[in-house]
Amino acid sequence: MDPALDTWDFSSPLISLWINRFYIYLGFAFGFSLWICFQIVIRKQNKNSQEKTVPKASQDLMTNGYISRPKKEVFVSGVKIFYGSQTGTAKGFATVLAEALSSLDLPVAMINLKDYDPDDRLVEEVTSKNVCAFLVATYTDGQPSESAEWFCKWLEEAASDFRFGKTYLKGMRYAVFGLGNSVYVSHFNKVGKNVDKWLWMLGAHRVMTRGEGDGNVVKSKHGSIEADFTAWKAKFISRLQALCKGERKRCRGNCKKGKCETNQRSSEAAEPESHVQEELHHRDAEEEEPFGSTSEEESDAEDHQSQNSVVDVEDLGKIMDHVKKEKREKEQQEGETSVTRSTVKSEASERRTMITPALREALTKQGYQLIGSHSGVKLCRWTKSMLRGRGGCYKHTFYGIESHRCMETTPSLACANKCVFCWRHHTNPVGTEWRWKMDQPEMILKEAIENHQNMIKQFKGVPGVKEERFEEGMTVKHCALSLVGEPIMYPEINKFLKLLHECKISSFLVTNAQFPVEIRDLKPVTQLYVSVDASTKDSLKKIDRPLFKDFWQRFLDSLKALAAKQQRTVYRLTLVKAWNVDELQAYAELVSLGNPDFIEVKGVTYCGESSASSLTMANVPWHEEVVRFVCELVGLIPDYEVACEHEHSNCLLIAHKKGFRTGGKAAVALLLFYCYTRRQPEKRSE
């Protein structure tokens, strides 16, 4: 056979492949394309499954062949505590809150609203992720404190200005705690309510219900304003901890179809921008009330079937059973409510004590010896002076009262005024009626005398103290019921006075002319005082800052009641320079209304700087100015004349001419209480 033919036969398959190489290449390309498509589909499926199983915030991001660690989500960047205080209470609460928040490892800033410009800086809180806490006090007539006055004015104007709009503070988160006193019923916590309302109107987001501190221990939810703040503080810290974790709303267990949206939101960390947008969208979706409970703490109502839904006839029986069950539960609940109300009434009958622990501490520091739950006694500086053989107070000069034998006390620390010249700087409680636990007058008098004697004993052996004065001082012969508060508020005041007189102790009682009925019902005392701190309605409101709405009518009725008393009566005028010294004619008219036996005119005593009052040394009149005022006043009241003077106390006495003249000369009616106490109690009241 030919060798060339054999070679051709052997290579014929290769030639066939060469001839058909195009189809072979096409098959390989098609198979490779299928493999690539298959790989793409598998990777995409793996990626989708990974996104479903791993939270978005914790996914590993593949970038340029390496894994980058995601940044930790920050939901609260810090806390700003804004305070507006008049007496320092709100500032103190702000300090306590700042110390409590230090455990959360959050930046905390305390800001005095007096030094804060809301026009430029408040809008910064929209994007700052801070939580703002506002601690604001309500002052006289529902007005803000001086430090918060401008902030509140700006906020009110911005809330009503269309140029700001309802979204000006959209994104800002805040909480409000107001400080007030419920005895001012018409404007209790008015500033706190207004700040809460105005922030809400500007689009800010309230993170928790507004807290309201009540200085009235009778109506305070927790017994005192300090306890009210402590309770609010605990809720605020708890809410802040939840916000730091990304939680926005507590689950109430009423989620639809068993799906808890809160848990889903807290488990999936969103981007900062989307988180803020969702929160704001959530706020807008809910019609949040500015004064009610907030969107953060509202309880979702149960889901009932719609009235328009179709009900199968076979289900009517079940529905009726359900209605009957709800009716029985409602009746049972009403029964329990009635029991609860009766329990509350019984608890209300157990009245609270007037002296709270904080008040006890404050008054004790001022030198008070507290008695029971609402009384106190204190040693006067004139008592110490006379023990050393020196001069006595004006009562010694005017009426013969020996200061070292005088006990200054009160059966009621509470008062119905908050006078600008209060020498206790408003540390005592206030109220318009007696709502506290009441101690018996026997116990009050017994402990008052014992405490007074114990304070006198401390002067035994002190250099300069006269031995005979010390021995005399151990026997109380006079009681000045003018220490602090309103003694006439004490329900058993008449019994207390009777006990004093039975112990041969004379009594001077001072009232602030706000309880005309009690003045009429008061049994005779040695001398009854009424404080006449101003002669017009406006000036009285400005100086005394009374709690009663009808304070002026009560004031006039008290003077009329004084005129009807068959006993020795006194007007006490306290002159405050630039406040009440230019109303001579009005004072003369008030004198004719009450027709007192004596008028004591005294310059105000400056007791140091106080955040509770704007009084300064400039308001203290010189003695010459007090003398000139008295002389001009006497010229307007012809039945009276100047009787005596005590320059050291910056005080003068005006006496009525009826029966207070000796040998044609004006004289002071010396109440020699030694003679007075020798009388029988029944004769003393005549």
Side-chain angles (χ1 to χ4, degrees):
M1 183 178 292
D2 189 356
L5 182 61
D6 293 339
T7 304
W8 175 256
D9 293 337
F10 176 77
S11 59
S12 59
L14 296 176
I15 295 174
S16 178
L17 290 174
W18 174 255
I19 296 173
N20 298 304
R21 64 183 182 276
F22 175 77
Y23 299 102
I24 295 173
Y25 295 158
L26 186 62
F28 274 111
F30 180 73
F32 186 70
S33 300
L34 288 177
W35 181 81
I36 292 176
C37 293
F38 182 72
Q39 292 297 324
I40 292 174
V41 171
I42 290 177
R43 290 189 180 186
K44 189 174 182 180
Q45 290 178 349
N46 291 338
K47 185 177 180 181
N48 292 337
S49 61
Q50 185 180 16
E51 290 179 351
K52 292 181 179 179
T53 56
V54 181
K56 184 177 181 180
S58 61
Q59 292 179 14
D60 292 335
L61 304 178
M62 298 296 295
T63 307
N64 297 329
Y66 64 88
I67 299 175
S68 62
R69 192 181 299 273
K71 294 183 179 180
K72 185 179 180 181
E73 177 68 28
V74 177
F75 296 100
V76 178
S77 60
V79 180
K80 290 187 177 180
I81 305 173
F82 299 86
Y83 65 88
S85 182
Q86 186 72 26
T87 62
T89 306
K91 183 179 180 180
F93 286 171
T95 304
V96 172
L97 181 59
E99 293 175 354
L101 292 175
S102 60
S103 60
L104 300 181
D105 295 329
L106 288 173
V108 179
M110 285 178 53
I111 301 173
N112 189 344
L113 289 173
K114 183 179 182 180
D115 306 324
Y116 186 76
D117 185 3
D119 201 9
D120 296 331
R121 300 175 59 186
L122 192 60
V123 72
E124 297 175 0
E125 307 305 330
V126 172
T127 57
S128 65
K129 289 190 179 180
N130 288 323
V131 175
C132 301
F134 292 87
L135 279 61
V136 288
T138 301
Y139 200 45
T140 307
D141 293 335
Q143 298 299 315
S145 59
E146 293 180 3
S147 60
E149 188 174 0
W150 164 246
F151 177 82
C152 292
K153 182 179 181 180
W154 181 91
L155 203 60
E156 180 181 12
E157 292 177 353
S160 57
D161 192 340
F162 71 93
R163 292 172 294 182
F164 285 89
K166 297 181 179 180
T167 59
Y168 181 71
L169 296 179
K170 196 170 186 179
M172 174 182 172
R173 293 176 291 180
Y174 75 95
V176 176
F177 181 82
L179 294 82
N181 197 311
S182 60
V183 294
Y184 297 93
V185 180
S186 59
H187 46 257
F188 171 57
N189 258 318
K190 185 176 180 180
V191 176
K193 294 175 182 177
N194 285 340
V195 170
D196 187 18
K197 178 183 70 173
W198 294 329
L199 289 171
W200 180 86
M201 291 174 64
L202 289 171
H205 187 69
R206 189 193 302 112
V207 299
M208 65 177 291
T209 306
R210 181 185 63 253
E212 293 186 349
D214 191 352
N216 183 6
V217 297
V218 177
K219 291 187 177 182
S220 172
K221 292 182 179 179
H222 302 91
S224 66
I225 192 170
E226 292 82 7
D228 292 337
F229 172 73
T230 301
W232 178 85
K233 179 187 67 175
K235 293 181 180 179
F236 179 73
I237 293 176
S238 176
R239 188 74 195 105
L240 199 59
Q241 290 173 337
L243 290 173
C244 290
K245 296 177 182 178
E247 298 177 9
R248 300 200 306 276
K249 186 175 181 180
R250 299 174 184 175
C251 180
R252 300 290 185 175
N254 297 324
C255 297
K256 297 181 180 181
K257 299 181 181 180
K259 296 181 180 180
C260 183
E261 297 178 358
T262 303
N263 294 334
Q264 291 180 2
R265 287 195 297 266
S266 60
S267 62
E268 298 180 3
E271 293 295 329
E273 295 81 1
S274 62
H275 171 73
V276 174
Q277 290 176 359
E278 288 179 7
E279 183 173 342
L280 297 179
H281 176 74
H282 176 68
R283 177 193 183 276
D284 294 337
E286 296 181 350
E287 294 183 357
E288 187 178 344
E289 293 296 332
F291 292 107
S293 59
T294 69
S295 60
E296 296 291 340
E297 294 188 347
E298 286 179 354
S299 298
D300 293 331
E302 295 185 1
D303 295 324
H304 295 284
Q305 290 185 346
S306 174
Q307 295 179 356
N308 298 328
S309 61
V310 180
V311 180
D312 195 293
V313 178
E314 295 178 358
D315 294 331
L316 286 175
K318 296 180 181 180
I319 294 175
M320 293 302 297
D321 291 340
H322 181 70
V323 172
K324 291 179 180 179
K325 183 179 179 180
E326 286 186 343
K327 185 177 181 180
R328 287 194 301 268
E329 291 177 351
K330 184 177 180 180
E331 292 175 353
Q332 183 179 0
Q333 186 177 4
E334 290 177 352
E336 293 175 354
T337 303
S338 61
V339 174
T340 304
R341 287 176 180 174
S342 61
T343 305
V344 171
K345 289 181 179 179
S346 63
E347 291 176 353
S349 61
E350 299 177 2
R351 298 183 174 185
R352 296 176 180 173
T353 59
M354 181 186 295
I355 304 177
T356 62
L359 180 60
R360 182 177 296 275
E361 181 181 359
L363 293 176
T364 302
K365 287 181 179 179
Q366 296 179 26
Y368 285 87
Q369 296 294 321
L370 300 178
I371 304 167
S373 62
H374 54 75
S375 308
V377 63
K378 188 179 181 182
L379 206 62
C380 176
R381 72 181 183 92
W382 290 108
T383 300
K384 304 173 187 177
S385 175
M386 213 160 189
L387 284 172
R388 292 183 169 91
R390 302 171 185 171
C393 71
Y394 69 91
K395 290 193 289 292
H396 177 255
T397 304
F398 292 173
Y399 314 113
I401 302 297
E402 294 178 309
S403 301
H404 66 297
R405 308 184 76 176
C406 174
M407 177 178 68
E408 193 173 20
T409 186
T410 180
S412 171
L413 293 165
C415 187
N417 290 345
K418 302 185 74 173
C419 303
V420 295
F421 51 76
C422 178
W423 60 342
R424 305 306 178 196
H425 299 308
H426 305 155
T427 51
N428 57 306
V430 292
T432 56
E433 60 181 339
W434 190 273
R435 293 184 177 180
W436 301 276
K437 289 182 179 179
M438 187 183 70
D439 300 327
Q440 294 302 312
E442 294 84 358
M443 183 272 289
I444 296 175
L445 180 59
K446 178 176 178 294
E447 293 194 15
I449 294 176
E450 290 177 355
N451 280 287
H452 177 80
Q453 291 174 340
N454 290 334
M455 288 186 287
I456 294 292
K457 288 178 182 178
Q458 296 176 5
F459 287 85
K460 187 174 184 179
V462 174
V465 173
K466 305 293 183 181
E467 184 176 354
E468 65 276 10
R469 293 283 179 90
F470 176 82
E471 295 298 331
E472 291 175 352
M474 294 299 294
T475 303
V476 178
K477 301 300 291 181
H478 178 74
C479 179
L481 295 169
S482 59
L483 177 61
V484 69
E486 184 66 84
I488 205 170
M489 285 181 66
Y490 178 50
E492 294 291 341
I493 184 63
N494 283 324
K495 189 174 181 180
F496 182 78
L497 292 170
K498 182 179 179 182
L499 293 172
L500 279 174
H501 297 161
E502 289 175 353
C503 294
K504 312 291 186 190
I505 300 175
S506 57
S507 57
F508 280 14
L509 186 146
V510 180
T511 177
N512 288 319
Q514 288 297 299
F515 296 92
V517 175
E518 286 75 6
I519 291 177
R520 283 191 287 266
D521 296 339
L522 186 70
K523 298 296 182 181
V525 295
T526 309
Q527 194 152 285
L528 178 59
Y529 284 77
V530 168
S531 295
V532 182
D533 299 326
S535 59
T536 64
K537 183 177 180 179
D538 292 338
S539 58
L540 185 67
K541 183 178 181 180
K542 182 180 179 181
I543 294 175
D544 279 2
R545 297 186 292 193
L547 304 185
F548 288 106
K549 291 183 179 180
D550 57 340
F551 66 92
W552 182 246
Q553 188 60 46
R554 285 176 169 272
F555 178 76
L556 298 178
D557 291 343
S558 295
L559 300 185
K560 295 176 183 177
L562 193 75
K565 303 295 289 186
Q566 299 297 317
Q567 63 167 83
R568 206 177 300 272
T569 57
V570 185
Y571 272 13
R572 172 178 286 181
L573 275 64
T574 301
L575 300 184
V576 184
K577 195 173 181 180
W579 286 44
N580 63 354
V581 296
D582 301 322
E583 305 164 348
L584 285 167
Q585 186 59 44
Y587 276 116
E589 294 174 359
L590 292 180
V591 170
S592 62
L593 186 64
N595 196 28
D597 297 315
F598 299 105
I599 304 172
E600 292 179 6
V601 184
K602 185 178 184 298
V604 67
T605 301
Y606 181 65
C607 301
E609 184 179 355
S610 170
S611 55
S613 172
S614 59
L615 208 66
T616 65
M617 278 298 297
N619 299 115
V620 180
W622 295 94
H623 185 65
E624 292 78 7
E625 294 174 317
V626 177
V627 172
R628 182 166 59 252
F629 177 91
V630 169
C631 293
E632 292 177 0
L633 179 61
V634 169
L636 298 175
I637 44 178
D639 293 334
Y640 294 82
E641 57 188 353
V642 179
C644 199
E645 176 185 20
H646 192 268
E647 186 174 356
H648 192 102
S649 297
N650 199 9
C651 184
L652 279 83
L653 180 69
I654 302 173
H656 201 287
K657 295 178 180 179
K658 60 171 186 180
F660 300 111
R661 298 176 66 88
T662 303
K665 295 181 180 181
V668 181
L670 298 177
L671 294 181
L672 299 176
F673 53 86
Y674 294 108
C675 299
Y676 174 83
T677 52
R678 291 193 186 101
R679 305 176 188 174
Q680 297 297 324
E682 59 272 11
K683 293 182 179 180
R684 190 180 302 123
S685 62
E686 295 177 357

